[in-house]
Amino acid sequence: MPISRRTLIVGGVAAGAAAAALPGTAASASGGPLRTDPFTLGVASGDPDHDGFVLWTRLAPRPLAEDGLGGMPDRPVAVQWELAADERFRHVVRRGVALARPQAAHSVHVELNGLPPGREFFYRFKADRHVSPVGRTRTAPAPWTLGGALAMAFVSCSQYEHGYFTAYRRLAEEEPDLVLHLGDYQYEYTKDTYNIPGGNPRDHEGPETETLANYRQRHAQYKADADLQAAHAAAPWLVVWDDHEVDNNWADEVPENPDVPQPHFLARRAAAFQAYWENMPLRRTSIPRGIDMRLYRRIQWGRLATFHMLDTRQYRDDQGCGDGYKDCPAAYDPARSITGPEQEAWLLDGFRRSSARWDILGQQVFFAQRDNNAGPATVTSQDSWDGYAASRDRITRGWLAAGVRNPVVLTGDVHAHWASDLKLDYADPTSRTVGSELVCSSITSGGNGADSDPATHPFLAINPHLRFYNNQRGYVSTKIRADRLDADFKVVPQVTTPGAPVYTRASYTIEDRVPGLHQTYLRPLG
C-alpha cells in the first residue's frame, strides 16, 4: 500500500516501514546494542539558512526516568543520520555518524551546510537496529532571491497539564515551511500546582523543575507527546524561550519571588539552559556556558524576510514595580531595558543592514501598549514591553530611522489571540501606524478558553490600536509574499479532550509598504 508524505510526517511512521533500512551502524561505543527503541522523543530540525540546518534527536528508551537520562547507559552511542531529497530515501544526499554522549543527555545535533538553497529534504536516524521516524525540513532561498511564498506558523505556551496538544497536530497537517516557537515550550510546575477550572486532564511527572535531572525529565515528557512530535517532524523550527522554561516571570538573575531566599537560582538557571540546548534543534553558537546562553540570532529567508529572534528574559532589568498591571513610573525610565544594551545594539544594526521585504521580530511578550484603565492613568502589564516603554520606543524609532520596509512583531505569552497596529505615540489614537503585531494564543495553557465577540473586550475600546482578540487555544498560520503578509488566527474549540478540529477565527492582511492590519475575514460568533 503506498505511503504518502503525510503518513510519513504527520503519522510518524518509522523510516524503515517506508524504505530500505539504513546501512548498519556499529554497536554502541564500548557496549552492547540498545535493547528497546531509543527514539521515543521523535526528531526535529531547526535554524535553517540557505545552505543548511540543524538535525536533532535524543535517545531515551525510558523518557520519564527520574535521573533525566532517559534510561540510557552511561556511555556514548553511535547514531547514524541520513538526509535525502525524497521521503522514500531513494536519493540520499548526505549521511554520517554522530556520537550521542551522556554529558548531553544523549542528544544529537547535526549541523549541515553546503546544501542547495530553497530545497525540501527528509531525514532520519538509526541507533543499532532502531530507526527513527522521518522528519521533513528545508533550506531557505538563496540570499539574493525573493523566492516563492513562505508558509510560516507560530506558536507559544504549551502547558502539558492543561490539555492535549491537538493544535500542534493540526499545524503539522498544514505542512508549513517554517515554525516559530515563541516561548513557554514547557512549564516548571509539579502536578496540582497550576490548575484549570474542572481540573487538569494530564499531570506532570516529577517535582517542580530546579535541577538538571528535573529539566531533562520534563523536556522528555513533553517531547514524548505524539502531537508535538508531528509538528517537529513537519518543518524546521526557530525557537526562543520565555519564562516558564526556567521560572515564572524571571528577569536576568532575579527569580519570580526575589523576597523569598533562593540561593540556588543561578544553578537552576544554568540547569534549565543546559536542558533547553539538549532538547532543541539549535546551532553550536547557542551552546550554554554556565548561566549564559546566546539565543538571540538572525535568520534570513532570501530577500523575502529576515527573522530577528529575540531573548527578552536573560538580559532584562527586573520588573520596575513587580509583576501585574501597574501605573509604574519606572516603566518610562530610559536606563531600563528589556533586551539589554548589547542585544538592542545588535537589533538596531540588523535593521540598518536589512534589505529584506519583511523584517519580522520573533519574541515573547506583548509589544503594543495594553492599558486596562479607561481613566487618565496608564495601567499596564509590567512584565511586557509596557513595563519597558523607553526600550520599546528606541526599538520602534530604530526601525523607522533605518527605513525598514515592513516591520512585523510576532508575540506569544498571553494565552490569547490578539492583533494590533503599532504606534510611536499610543496616547494619540490618530497618530500614524508604524508597524503591526500578531499575537498567537496558547497551544493549551489556560485550558479550553471560550469564544466571544472580539469587539466586547474592554481593552479594544481603551486602546483603539488593538484590532482583534480571541480567547480560544490555537496558533497563527501566515503566508508571506512579496506584496503582502496574510495571517489566519487558527483555533481549536477544546483541548481538555483530544482530537478537536481546527478552524480560522479571523484573517488579516498586511500590505507591502502599508503598515497596519486589514481584516479580510471574521467567522461569525457561534
Side-chain angles (χ1 to χ4, degrees):
M1 189 173 177
I3 296 176
S4 68
R5 174 182 301 176
R6 178 160 294 185
T7 304
L8 279 165
I9 304 304
V10 179
V13 175
L22 285 156
T25 55
S28 307
S30 67
L34 300 172
R35 295 181 181 276
T36 57
D37 180 15
F39 294 110
T40 61
L41 308 184
V43 299
S45 68
D47 279 15
D49 62 21
H50 68 280
D51 76 341
F53 34 68
V54 177
L55 305 180
W56 174 93
T57 193
R58 179 184 161 201
L59 308 182
R62 291 192 298 109
L64 299 184
E66 291 184 6
D67 63 3
L69 298 177
M72 287 295 293
D74 187 21
R75 51 180 165 78
V77 173
V79 179
Q80 185 171 3
W81 56 268
E82 196 168 53
L83 185 75
D86 67 298
E87 58 265 39
R88 294 177 179 273
F89 289 79
R90 291 171 177 165
H91 305 286
V92 173
V93 296
R94 295 279 183 91
R95 60 165 53 102
V97 177
L99 277 184
R101 302 178 186 276
Q103 297 90 335
H106 289 96
S107 61
V108 174
H109 297 74
V110 179
E111 196 167 325
L112 297 178
N113 54 33
L115 297 169
R119 300 285 184 87
E120 181 182 67
F121 295 94
F122 298 85
Y123 62 96
R124 61 186 178 181
F125 299 88
K126 182 179 181 184
D128 297 329
R129 60 184 176 84
H130 305 285
V131 182
S132 76
V134 174
R136 167 181 172 262
T137 191
R138 65 172 54 248
T139 50
W144 56 88
T145 64
L146 273 173
L150 167 63
M152 181 274 293
F154 64 99
V155 298
S156 73
C157 302
S158 44
Q159 219 287 24
Y160 181 91
E161 299 177 298
H162 286 185
Y164 295 91
F165 290 164
T166 309
Y168 279 141
R169 173 73 58 172
R170 300 296 172 246
L171 182 156
E173 291 167 352
E174 295 184 10
E175 295 188 349
D177 301 319
L178 185 66
V179 176
L180 273 62
H181 200 295
L182 302 180
D184 292 347
Y185 183 96
Q186 58 89 28
Y187 282 67
E188 73 274 28
Y189 306 108
T190 192
K191 70 176 184 179
D192 299 327
T193 301
Y194 182 13
N195 299 313
I196 59 173
N200 294 340
R202 307 197 286 186
D203 288 327
H204 280 150
E205 291 287 335
E208 177 159 335
T209 51
E210 295 188 14
T211 68
L212 182 55
N214 297 158
Y215 284 108
R216 283 171 167 170
Q217 182 193 42
R218 186 61 50 81
H219 275 282
Q221 183 175 18
Y222 278 62
K223 277 288 201 310
D225 183 275
D227 295 332
L228 175 54
Q229 287 187 23
H232 270 299
W237 283 37
L238 303 179
V239 299
V240 286
W241 55 41
D242 192 14
D243 52 339
H244 289 289
E245 287 86 352
V246 180
D247 180 36
N248 183 50
N249 287 356
W250 66 282
D252 194 3
E253 298 185 5
V254 182
E256 176 186 13
N257 297 311
D259 295 335
V260 178
Q262 297 183 56
H264 304 298
F265 178 72
L266 295 185
R268 179 183 188 179
R269 170 173 150 165
F273 286 12
Q274 176 67 23
Y276 189 83
W277 152 259
E278 292 169 352
N279 287 278
M280 294 295 169
L282 290 164
R283 293 181 180 268
R284 64 176 65 94
T285 52
S286 293
I287 294 175
R289 292 169 174 81
I291 65 167
D292 298 313
M293 181 172 170
R294 171 71 178 263
L295 198 57
Y296 67 86
R297 61 207 188 279
R298 192 171 287 117
I299 290 85
Q300 185 177 352
W301 201 268
R303 289 177 48 237
L304 181 67
T306 296
F307 292 91
H308 309 268
M309 304 301 290
L310 304 186
D311 177 352
T312 61
R313 285 290 162 195
Q314 188 175 179
Y315 313 105
R316 66 159 68 192
D317 290 289
D318 193 17
Q319 293 87 347
C321 298
D323 298 339
Y325 277 77
K326 309 277 180 65
D327 184 359
C328 179
Y332 306 95
D333 182 351
R336 298 178 68 254
S337 173
I338 195 172
T339 62
E342 183 177 329
Q343 184 178 194
E344 180 178 307
W346 167 88
L347 180 57
L348 296 178
D349 182 65
F351 290 156
R352 289 188 289 268
R353 294 174 181 269
S354 178
S355 59
R357 188 65 53 95
W358 301 89
D359 277 271
I360 299 172
L361 278 65
Q363 59 92 48
Q364 296 76 20
V365 293
F366 218 97
F367 193 86
Q369 180 173 290
R370 282 193 310 164
D371 185 2
N372 76 355
N373 186 280
T378 301
V379 181
T380 57
S381 167
Q382 297 308 295
D383 190 57
S384 72
W385 287 81
D386 275 332
Y388 306 81
S391 190
R392 175 177 61 201
D393 186 69
R394 290 192 298 270
I395 300 302
T396 307
R397 292 183 185 278
W399 76 55
L400 289 172
V404 168
R405 182 163 173 162
N406 294 299
V408 179
V409 178
L410 306 182
T411 300
D413 182 59
V414 292
H415 307 175
H417 284 319
W418 294 82
S420 62
D421 296 334
L422 299 177
K423 305 279 187 177
L424 264 180
D425 184 4
Y426 290 100
D428 179 6
T430 66
S431 64
R432 71 181 177 120
T433 296
V434 297
S436 308
E437 181 176 19
L438 304 170
V439 183
C440 66
S441 186
S442 62
I443 294 292
T444 54
S445 301
N448 289 331
D451 201 0
S452 63
D453 180 351
T456 62
H457 195 292
F459 281 19
L460 273 66
I462 299 170
N463 307 272
H465 55 277
L466 300 180
R467 305 289 301 282
F468 175 68
Y469 165 81
N470 172 267
N471 189 33
Q472 293 170 285
R473 308 288 74 84
Y475 56 95
V476 178
S477 223
T478 73
K479 184 78 75 163
I480 305 172
R481 301 176 174 89
D483 64 342
R484 69 186 191 275
L485 185 156
D486 297 314
D488 295 330
F489 288 86
K490 302 282 191 170
V491 300
V492 292
Q494 69 273 337
V495 295
T496 51
T497 56
V502 67
Y503 62 87
T504 299
R505 186 62 179 84
S507 299
Y508 285 83
T509 292
I510 306 168
E511 297 177 0
D512 179 34
R513 296 189 186 276
V514 184
L517 296 156
H518 305 277
Q519 188 178 87
T520 57
Y521 172 75
L522 182 65
R523 180 185 171 107
L525 185 63

